[in-house]
Amino acid sequence: MKKRGNQNGNAKVNRHDEAQDRRENQESRGGGDVHGRLPCGEALEVREAGLHLPPHGEAPYCARGDKQGRGQDEERLRARRHGGGGPGLDKGVQARPEDPQGGERHGGAACEDGRPRRPCRRPKEEEPGINDGDLSRVITHFFPKMHRWLDSLADPRQQGKVVYPLRLLVLAVLLQRLSGSPSGRRLEDDKRGRPLLLDNLNSIAGTRMEYIPHSDTIKHLMEGLRPCELEGVLVRMASRLIRSRVLDCMRVRGVKRLEGCFLVAVDGVTVHTSRRRLEHSIHRASRDGEREYMVAKLQASLVCDGRIRIPLMAESIENEAEYDKQDCELKAAGRLLERLKAAFPRTRFVILLDGLYLCERVLDICRRSKWHYSITINEGASAFLDKAERTLEADGRRVFRGDDPRTGLSREVSYVNGLKHSFGDTEFTLNAIRMKTQGCKLLYAVSAHVHKDEAAALLDAVSRRRWQIEEQFKVDKRHGLELEHAFGNTGNAAHNFYLVAQLAQTCLELMLHSGLFRRLQMMQNRDRITRVIDAPMLEWYRSIAVVMDRLRVSLMTRPLSDIDMTGWRLGFSSA
């Protein structure tokens, strides 16, 4: 009990000392009572200046930590020493093993009053940015004939009533996709950015229009324009990149028989579904018995190990006016591969397919076109799967073990050559390669002869790259290109908006993986950067969504720079 009494007595003394300190501080500052109120004369002078003060009868509220005490200075900026109190706290800096007296740490400098400054890591200097709107100039830099290509399209509008050039309207909807606009009216609804947006749009399109085109004007053009017109532009863009050797980094390396080939992944995607009847669509029965209409496409894209996807062309999966059986992916695959051969007759391709396309027609087109192929075998191809599994289990010589470069898990790779199997009335000779890991088994049918020294390279650099087209659909749907959004369902609008999204995908890949951003960064910040920074663009922007959002804001708030990019040779890397 006596000890408790002493503690209460000490507490009273501490409170008395704090009250005495507050009175002394107030007196030293030139007057005022304990509550911090000014004398009457000073209060009148302040009120004459037009400032609002609380009435004299009520003290203003002051937080407990704002009162003047022993550990604070007059201006209430910082404590004069480290806060003490409590059994687990110390008033000094924690001592290091080699410095038993405590005090200043290594790397810290002393303040003006002799106190040790808190050590901290030197802040990393941030890289300067650019005028993000200049990223849109990738369109005319890599494709200098883009204006000529768009002017050559067949315009479906009545020429006597045309106000906006077709070139301007197509580039306007292309910029909408690149800026991640979830609706066709988002850019035009923001009235604050209309003047600069119009100037930037005229600069990119090479026009002198006085008004931004309305979204209904763009939609009217998309409804009447034939899809083959925009697809021709998409093919010209891919052909330009291949012929100018921009995409040489996407060629196959490390497999002798496939050296220098491009990987083309083919897969289907559903663009839009509706319970109402859609033009150029197929249908299916839903669970409740109602008919659901779908707008679907079969996409072919160049892929590589560096997560780059360049769209080549697309085939529409749609029913004709009169039909006995609906259109499907297999029928569309035959049409797509034949058009691909006609558009790129001399380009060496390796076609990457899903097990659904392991059929006579697809294999026959690949053989006649002199293309190699790799097909992922799933449970649907039961006959060939059983034959390949039995042969691989019987022959244990062509087996080697190692680590999966993706996951780091141990794996077992086996292969077999010369498997003959009949699809329909035609017999084909295929080779099989299988990979087993913990809880996973993958089997591929390939046309190229599998060599022991190249089996792992063929598996990792070719066959497993088919999944990149699934990643492309994910980016198109979830990261700003709004592939599943119904911008229009009348006429050819759905198909044309899909093709514009593929044009935007090509431009986006060139933004992310070319040297455009780093070159602009150096040109626009010569006082801070003296050489081109060799680092990916996404290390600065962090995500694709940020790139699109900053591009949209910059187009509405900043004019495009006047930097001449005519003689620039921009690198393109898959790293």
Side-chain angles (χ1 to χ4, degrees):
M1 297 297 292
K2 184 177 180 180
K3 183 177 182 179
R4 181 176 180 181
N6 292 335
Q7 293 178 351
N8 293 335
N10 293 334
K12 293 180 179 179
V13 172
N14 291 337
R15 287 196 296 270
H16 177 75
D17 293 342
E18 291 181 1
Q20 183 67 22
D21 290 341
R22 287 197 298 271
R23 294 190 186 95
E24 294 176 358
N25 289 333
Q26 292 292 337
E27 293 175 359
S28 62
R29 293 170 58 184
D33 59 7
V34 178
H35 299 288
R37 291 179 292 193
L38 295 173
C40 182
E42 296 184 8
L44 291 176
E45 293 180 2
V46 175
R47 285 188 176 181
E48 290 177 359
L51 300 178
H52 298 283
L53 296 178
H56 289 285
E58 181 181 358
Y61 173 75
C62 186
R64 183 179 181 86
D66 198 30
K67 295 179 179 179
Q68 293 293 321
R70 291 183 176 181
Q72 295 183 343
D73 60 352
E74 296 181 0
E75 288 77 20
R76 309 175 186 178
L77 297 179
R78 61 177 181 270
R80 294 180 178 175
R81 60 176 179 268
H82 294 280
L89 299 177
D90 191 7
K91 295 183 179 181
V93 181
Q94 185 177 359
R96 302 180 65 139
E98 61 273 12
D99 184 15
Q101 300 299 328
E104 183 180 347
R105 293 185 185 177
H106 292 281
C111 298
E112 296 179 357
D113 55 359
R115 295 183 297 104
R117 179 178 298 173
R118 286 189 62 184
C120 61
R121 183 176 299 177
R122 178 177 295 179
K124 183 179 179 181
E125 184 178 358
E126 296 183 358
E127 297 179 10
I130 65 170
N131 183 357
D132 302 282
D134 287 338
L135 292 175
S136 61
R137 300 175 66 179
V138 72
I139 303 173
T140 54
H141 177 75
F142 282 97
F143 312 107
K145 297 183 180 179
M146 175 62 75
H147 293 171
R148 189 184 307 175
W149 295 343
L150 296 179
D151 291 338
S152 64
L153 302 183
D155 196 340
R157 300 173 295 173
Q158 299 182 17
Q159 297 303 310
K161 300 181 180 180
V162 169
V163 176
Y164 296 97
L166 187 145
R167 176 207 312 174
L168 177 72
L169 298 181
V170 174
L171 290 177
V173 69
L174 177 59
L175 290 178
Q176 286 181 355
R177 300 283 69 74
L178 284 175
S179 60
S181 298
S183 64
R185 297 186 177 182
R186 180 170 182 179
L187 291 180
E188 68 185 43
D189 287 346
D190 195 340
K191 299 181 180 179
R192 297 171 300 175
R194 282 190 177 184
L196 283 176
L197 177 61
L198 177 60
D199 294 341
N200 292 333
L201 183 58
N202 283 327
S203 177
I204 296 173
T207 56
R208 297 181 180 179
M209 302 307 299
E210 298 179 358
Y211 301 98
I212 296 177
H214 195 270
S215 60
D216 291 343
T217 305
I218 297 177
K219 185 177 178 182
H220 176 70
L221 174 65
M222 294 291 109
E223 291 174 354
L225 188 65
R226 293 185 302 170
C228 62
E229 301 287 343
L230 286 180
E231 190 175 52
V233 177
L234 183 64
V235 172
R236 288 178 178 178
M237 292 172 65
S239 179
R240 161 78 182 180
L241 295 176
I242 293 175
R243 293 173 59 187
S244 60
R245 306 179 69 87
V246 174
L247 304 181
D248 279 0
C249 62
M250 301 181 66
R251 295 182 184 269
V252 177
R253 306 298 181 195
V255 182
K256 185 176 181 180
R257 292 180 178 270
L258 307 179
E259 191 76 19
C261 295
F262 285 106
L263 301 180
V264 178
V266 179
D267 201 6
V269 58
T270 300
V271 180
H272 182 57
T273 60
S274 176
R275 294 294 178 92
R276 295 183 296 177
R277 186 178 183 86
L278 300 176
E279 300 182 36
H280 309 290
S281 64
I282 56 178
H283 60 80
R284 64 184 176 187
S286 59
R287 294 182 178 180
D288 54 4
E290 295 187 12
R291 179 173 290 185
E292 186 178 38
Y293 294 90
M294 302 182 298
V295 177
K297 287 283 188 177
L298 188 68
Q299 180 66 41
S301 299
L302 293 177
V303 297
C304 72
D305 193 17
R307 299 182 179 181
I308 302 177
R309 285 83 56 166
I310 303 295
L312 288 179
M313 61 175 53
E315 179 67 28
S316 178
I317 305 175
E318 59 179 276
N319 295 327
E320 298 179 356
E322 297 180 1
Y323 61 91
D324 296 329
K325 293 184 178 181
Q326 290 198 90
D327 197 8
C328 62
E329 289 187 41
L330 287 179
K331 296 179 182 178
R335 302 193 300 267
L336 177 66
L337 293 178
E338 290 177 352
R339 292 197 301 112
L340 186 64
K341 180 62 177 178
F344 303 92
R346 298 183 179 181
T347 308
R348 298 175 59 202
F349 289 142
V350 179
I351 310 300
L352 309 180
L353 301 165
D354 190 65
L356 174 66
Y357 305 97
L358 188 62
C359 62
E360 179 183 8
R361 184 181 182 187
V362 173
L363 296 181
D364 183 61
I365 294 176
C366 292
R367 184 169 61 179
R368 286 189 287 105
S369 302
K370 298 181 180 181
W371 292 335
H372 287 285
Y373 52 83
S374 174
I375 303 178
T376 305
I377 306 299
N378 49 29
E379 299 298 331
S382 58
F384 180 79
L385 179 63
D386 294 341
K387 180 184 291 187
E389 289 284 0
R390 291 195 305 267
T391 307
L392 290 171
E393 294 296 337
D395 189 1
R397 296 175 299 174
R398 299 180 176 89
V399 179
F400 61 92
R401 294 170 177 83
D403 294 335
D404 187 358
R406 282 190 182 181
T407 62
L409 301 175
S410 60
R411 66 177 180 179
E412 178 185 289
V413 178
S414 56
Y415 64 94
V416 62
N417 293 312
L419 287 177
K420 295 184 178 180
H421 190 79
S422 297
F423 297 94
D425 299 332
T426 308
E427 184 180 67
F428 294 89
T429 301
L430 303 175
N431 311 307
I433 182 170
R434 182 183 64 182
M435 184 186 75
K436 285 184 178 181
T437 59
Q438 183 178 0
C440 179
K441 181 176 69 173
L442 300 174
L443 180 65
Y444 300 94
V446 296
S447 60
H449 183 83
V450 184
H451 193 270
K452 180 179 180 180
D453 298 335
E454 300 176 347
L458 177 62
L459 176 67
D460 298 327
V462 178
S463 297
R464 298 177 71 180
R465 300 280 78 81
R466 193 206 69 84
W467 192 253
Q468 288 296 322
I469 195 169
E470 304 290 349
E471 295 294 328
Q472 175 186 340
F473 294 151
K474 179 181 177 181
V475 171
D476 292 350
K477 294 178 180 180
R478 300 287 184 264
H479 294 275
L481 293 181
E482 304 293 339
L483 189 64
E484 293 181 316
H485 186 80
F487 292 99
N489 292 322
T490 306
N492 299 322
H495 296 289
N496 285 323
F497 278 115
Y498 174 85
L499 291 173
V500 171
Q502 302 312 306
L503 298 178
Q505 171 72 25
T506 302
C507 297
L508 181 62
E509 295 292 341
L510 294 174
M511 288 182 189
L512 298 177
H513 299 282
S514 71
L516 176 63
F517 170 75
R518 295 301 179 181
R519 182 69 69 86
L520 290 173
Q521 188 183 39
M522 184 184 69
M523 295 295 294
Q524 298 179 7
N525 302 276
R526 290 182 177 273
D527 55 336
R528 300 180 60 183
I529 300 178
T530 57
R531 60 179 181 84
V532 178
I533 301 175
D534 188 14
M537 172 181 167
L538 281 183
E539 287 190 5
W540 197 90
Y541 283 99
R542 303 299 182 185
S543 68
I544 298 177
V546 174
V547 176
M548 293 183 172
D549 185 67
R550 291 177 67 100
L551 176 63
R552 177 184 61 84
V553 174
S554 181
L555 287 176
M556 294 189 298
T557 57
R558 299 180 63 181
L560 298 180
S561 64
D562 55 353
I563 297 177
D564 186 12
M565 299 170 51
T566 305
W568 289 12
R569 294 185 60 86
L570 301 177
F572 189 79
S573 174
S574 60

